[in-house]
Amino acid sequence: MEPVNVQADLDLLAERFPGVTVAAIPAGGYEVKCSLENYLDVVRFLRERGFNYGSCITAIDWQDRLELVAQIYKLHPDYLGSPVVEVKVDGLPRQGAVVPSITPLYPGLNWHERETYDMYGIRFDGHPDLRRILLPDNWQGGHPLLKDFVDRRPQRPRLVRQRV
Amino acid sequence: MEQTKELLINMGPQHPSTHGVLRILVKLDGETMTWAQPDIGYLHRCFEKLSENKMYPQVIPYTDRTDYLSAITNEHAYVLAVEKLLGIQPPERAEYIRVLMAEFQRICSHLLGLGSMALDLGAVSAFLYAWRDREKMYSIFERITGGRMLYNYFRIGGVRNDLPEGIIGTPQDGRDKADKTFWGFINYLDSYVIPEWDVLLTGNRIFQWRTQGVAPLSSQDAIAYGASGPVLRASGVKWDLRKNVPYSIYDRFEFDIPVGKENGDCFDRWWVRVEEMRQSSRIVKQALQWLAENPGEVMVPKLQRYPKPPPGEVYVRVEGSRGEVGVHLVSDGTQKPYKVKWRSPAFTHLQLIPLLAPGFKVADMIAIIGSLDIVLGEVDR
C-alpha cells in the first residue's frame, strides 16, 4: 500500500478553476470552497481524477446562510490514508436554495441528498427522486435541522398517574 | 403466453429481519420482483438535532442508540472526532482498551447479524445459538461498563474506567469461563462457535442454495453506490478503514482483510462476516496480551469536564461493524456541538435494494435484507 497523493489533484483543480480555494483542514482532510456555478464542474473534475467514493453530503446552517458540504475521497485497495476532500458551497439562501445534484456521479449519495433536502430544504436539481425521506410525505412543519426550527405540532397530553 | 397482472405488495413495516421498522414496496410479476423501493423514517429520533442541544460528553449515550447492536464502534467514532477537534491524545492503555472493546463488539454484532440472517432463511436454532453466545459476551460487557447493550463507556480523552480485576483471564481459560473472562470467551469462540457456524450453515447445502448467486453486486457498483464494510468487501474490494486509513492504534495489530470469493452475492456477504469474526478474535488476543502486561492511566489527566473545542470542523471515518461510520462535527467554540452529521453505513446500504432485488424471487428479498445486515436505528437515527 502506498500513501495517496491528493495534493497534486487539488493543485490542478485550483489551477483549472480560478475562483476555487483549496485548504487543508487542521483536524485532517482538505476543503475545497467553490461557488454554486462551479460546484458541479468541480465535483465532476474530482470524479474524473479518481475520487470515486461519495461518502456523505450534508449542510451547515450558519444562521444567515446555508453551506453545502460533500465529502468524497479515493477508494482503492492499494491506497493508504486516503484523505477526505470536503467540497463546499457557501452562501446559499436559507429559503429555496437550489443546488445541482451529484447523484448521477455518485449514486450512493442519492439518499444523502434526499436527507439534506428533508432536513435543510435545499433542492437538488437533477436528482432522480427528490422526496422527503425521514419525515412523512405530508409533513408541513418545515425543515427540522434549520436552527430556527420550532415544532408547532400540538403537544401530546401528558400522562397523569391515577391515584388509587 | 398469458400475462398476469403486476402486483404491488408491502413488506413490513414490521419485518423481522430488520431490527426495527422498515417497509419495502415490491412489485411482483408472478413470484419475481420487478421493482423494489424501501420506505424508512419510522424510527426517526432526531439524534442530530438533539446533539446540538447537548454538551459534548452528553452526546455519547445517544451515539450508542444509533446502531444499538454495535454501540462501541459508534462511540469510538464520535470520541475520535471530538478528540481531533480538541487536539488531544488518549493514554496508550485507553487506546488498547478501546480497540479491544471495539473488536469484541464487532464479533458480538456479526454474531447477531449472522443469526438473524439464518433465522430469516428458516434456521431458527442458529439464531438461538447466536443469542446463547451473545449473552456470554453481554455478561463480560456488563462487568466492565454496567450496561448489557448500551454502554456509554468511552470518554473524550479515554475510557470511563479501567478493566475490572480478573476480566482478562489467562490464555488457558476454557469454555467454562466463556462468560467470565475475555480469554475464556475467545477460546470458546475459536474452538467452538465459529466451527459451529461453519458446519451448521456455511457448509449447509440448503443454505448455500438459498444464498449463492442471489443478488450479486459488482465491485464497480459497490463503490459507486457507497457500499462499505462487509458488503463492499464481499464484492471483492479489499478496503478496510482499519488498514487503509489507520485510526486509533490499528496499525499495531496483525490481521487480514477477508474478501468475497466470486461475485458478491448473499453467500459472500455471509462468508466475509464469519471470516471477520476470526480476524477480530486475532486482534482481541493481541490487545489482551498487551493489556495484561502494561498497567497505566485510562483517562487524560486534567481534562475539562465539559470541554470547549476551538472552532473548526472534522470528518472522522471509522470501520464500524456494518461499514464506514462517518462523523461530521462542526464546533463553534462553545460547549455544545454546532452540528453533528452521522454518516451511517446501513442508511447507505439500504439504497442498494432497488438495485439488487429486481429479477429475483420474493423469497430472496429476505436473504438480501439479511445479508445487508441493516439496523434501522442507524438508518433513521
Side-chain angles (χ1 to χ4, degrees):
Chain A
M1 279 192 282
E2 50 190 285
V4 54
N5 187 7
V6 297
Q7 190 65 52
D9 295 319
L10 295 177
D11 288 344
L12 202 63
L13 177 86
E15 223 173 85
R16 184 76 58 86
F17 301 95
V20 174
T21 57
V22 177
I25 299 173
Y30 294 89
E31 65 175 11
V32 172
K33 288 199 170 178
C34 58
S35 66
L36 188 54
E37 293 78 43
N38 276 341
Y39 172 60
L40 193 57
D41 292 330
V42 166
V43 175
R44 193 174 285 139
F45 177 84
L46 290 172
R47 179 77 183 79
E48 283 159 10
R49 297 290 299 181
F51 287 80
N52 55 356
Y53 195 79
S55 180
C56 176
I57 194 163
T58 184
I60 307 170
D61 181 11
W62 292 113
Q63 318 258 11
D64 56 340
R65 65 193 199 276
L66 289 178
E67 184 176 11
L68 188 80
V69 187
Q71 280 96 358
I72 54 181
Y73 62 87
K74 291 184 177 184
L75 188 152
H76 193 279
D78 299 339
Y79 290 164
L80 181 69
S82 177
V84 177
V85 172
E86 300 195 347
V87 183
K88 294 180 169 184
V89 185
D90 205 350
L92 296 170
R94 298 186 77 243
Q95 301 259 317
V98 182
V99 172
S101 167
I102 56 171
T103 298
L105 299 169
Y106 301 101
L109 293 179
N110 185 327
W111 281 19
H112 290 273
E113 287 192 342
R114 275 177 74 182
E115 192 193 323
T116 310
Y117 163 64
D118 197 358
M119 292 296 160
Y120 291 93
I122 298 174
R123 298 196 70 90
F124 289 90
D125 197 16
H127 190 282
D129 179 27
L130 194 65
R131 287 180 292 128
R132 286 202 179 263
I133 185 164
L134 290 170
L135 293 167
D137 288 340
N138 57 356
W139 175 260
Q140 295 289 330
H143 300 288
L145 278 182
L146 294 176
K147 288 279 178 187
D148 56 1
F149 171 79
V150 184
D151 190 358
R152 294 190 199 285
R153 286 175 300 169
Q155 287 282 313
R156 250 194 278 172
R158 283 186 69 187
L159 287 175
V160 180
R161 191 170 290 161
Q162 294 285 322
R163 284 191 188 185
V164 183
Chain B
M1 199 177 128
E2 200 176 327
Q3 193 71 38
T4 50
K5 203 177 146 194
E6 209 172 47
L7 183 69
L8 181 74
I9 63 162
N10 281 299
M11 299 183 81
Q14 254 77 20
H15 196 269
S17 73
T18 55
H19 322 299
V21 283
L22 168 69
R23 181 171 74 129
I24 299 185
L25 284 148
V26 185
K27 273 187 193 156
L28 293 180
D29 178 16
E31 250 188 273
T32 309
M33 295 185 283
T34 56
W35 176 88
Q37 189 70 51
D39 180 14
I40 62 166
Y42 297 93
L43 204 62
H44 186 47
R45 290 163 300 197
C46 327
F47 159 65
E48 286 156 7
K49 186 82 177 174
L50 267 171
S51 314
E52 292 175 8
N53 296 305
K54 299 277 174 209
M55 312 280 195
Y56 280 94
Q58 289 174 333
V59 178
I60 297 171
Y62 290 95
T63 63
D64 280 345
R65 283 153 179 79
T66 55
D67 180 355
Y68 34 76
L69 297 180
S70 163
I72 290 283
T73 46
N74 292 318
E75 289 180 15
H76 204 172
Y78 175 77
V79 164
L80 280 177
V82 182
E83 281 168 2
K84 275 205 170 165
L85 279 178
L86 283 165
I88 56 170
Q89 191 76 31
E92 192 145 81
R93 187 173 169 85
E95 293 266 39
Y96 272 92
I97 293 178
R98 283 181 181 181
V99 169
L100 167 74
M101 295 292 274
E103 294 306 315
F104 208 59
Q105 179 83 81
R106 190 185 312 276
I107 297 170
C108 196
S109 167
H110 281 344
L111 262 180
L112 190 71
L114 299 173
S116 60
M117 180 176 172
L119 173 74
D120 299 338
L121 294 171
V124 180
S125 42
F127 182 64
L128 297 176
Y129 293 158
W131 276 107
R132 175 198 65 193
D133 302 331
R134 268 175 68 90
E135 282 302 316
K136 297 186 199 311
M137 306 185 86
Y138 277 172
S139 302
I140 294 175
F141 276 127
E142 191 182 10
R143 271 188 67 198
I144 299 168
T145 68
R148 284 177 84 78
M149 199 161 160
L150 303 160
Y151 309 112
N152 188 14
Y153 178 57
F154 285 17
R155 288 289 180 275
I156 296 159
V159 292
R160 187 177 67 204
N161 49 265
D162 205 338
L163 299 176
E165 195 80 14
I167 194 93
I168 293 178
T170 58
Q172 287 76 39
D173 282 354
R175 203 177 146 184
D176 54 319
K177 289 197 174 167
D179 57 346
K180 293 183 185 69
T181 63
F182 274 113
W183 272 111
F185 186 85
I186 288 297
N187 289 335
Y188 170 62
L189 183 86
D190 287 345
S191 65
Y192 191 79
V193 178
I194 298 178
E196 190 181 55
W197 285 105
D198 283 344
V199 171
L200 199 63
L201 288 152
T202 312
N204 182 326
R205 293 293 286 278
I206 301 170
F207 182 78
Q208 288 176 0
W209 282 334
R210 284 296 306 273
T211 52
Q212 278 179 348
V214 173
L217 178 68
S218 70
S219 55
Q220 291 92 340
D221 275 351
I223 295 173
Y225 279 80
S228 51
V231 178
L232 179 71
R233 290 192 281 276
S235 297
V237 185
K238 202 171 179 183
W239 174 268
D240 188 316
L241 291 170
R242 289 173 293 173
K243 277 261 196 240
N244 291 88
V245 188
Y247 58 92
S248 193
I249 50 162
Y250 273 106
D251 47 354
R252 297 185 200 173
F253 293 93
E254 244 179 62
F255 61 101
D256 299 323
I257 310 173
V259 179
K261 281 172 192 155
E262 281 151 36
N263 42 9
D265 52 9
C266 288
F267 184 78
D268 278 351
R269 270 166 246 157
W270 166 282
W271 183 84
V272 164
R273 288 200 178 89
V274 176
E275 284 301 306
E276 271 188 21
M277 292 200 323
R278 285 203 180 95
Q279 300 303 328
S280 289
S281 138
R282 280 175 71 188
I283 301 177
V284 166
K285 279 183 224 161
Q286 292 166 45
L288 287 175
Q289 266 167 4
W290 192 94
L291 282 167
E293 293 158 8
N294 296 279
E297 289 282 319
V298 293
M299 274 296 286
V300 169
K302 285 191 186 169
L303 184 73
Q304 273 174 298
R305 188 161 178 202
Y306 293 115
K308 277 190 201 172
E313 71 171 284
V314 64
Y315 183 76
V316 169
R317 296 164 285 173
V318 161
E319 186 72 35
S321 310
R322 281 165 192 77
E324 177 186 321
V325 178
V327 185
H328 182 232
L329 201 61
V330 180
S331 160
D332 61 347
T334 59
Q335 291 176 323
K336 296 174 181 176
Y338 189 73
K339 183 211 155 59
V340 179
K341 159 78 185 175
W342 204 261
R343 188 265 190 214
S344 54
F347 181 77
T348 319
H349 287 161
L350 207 50
Q351 297 178 100
L352 289 166
I353 283 179
L355 182 79
L356 295 179
F360 292 96
K361 301 275 186 267
V362 65
D364 294 332
M365 179 59 101
I366 312 297
I368 296 171
I369 302 172
S371 73
L372 293 179
D373 192 14
I374 280 156
V375 171
L376 266 291
E378 196 181 37
V379 174
D380 294 350
R381 301 181 300 278

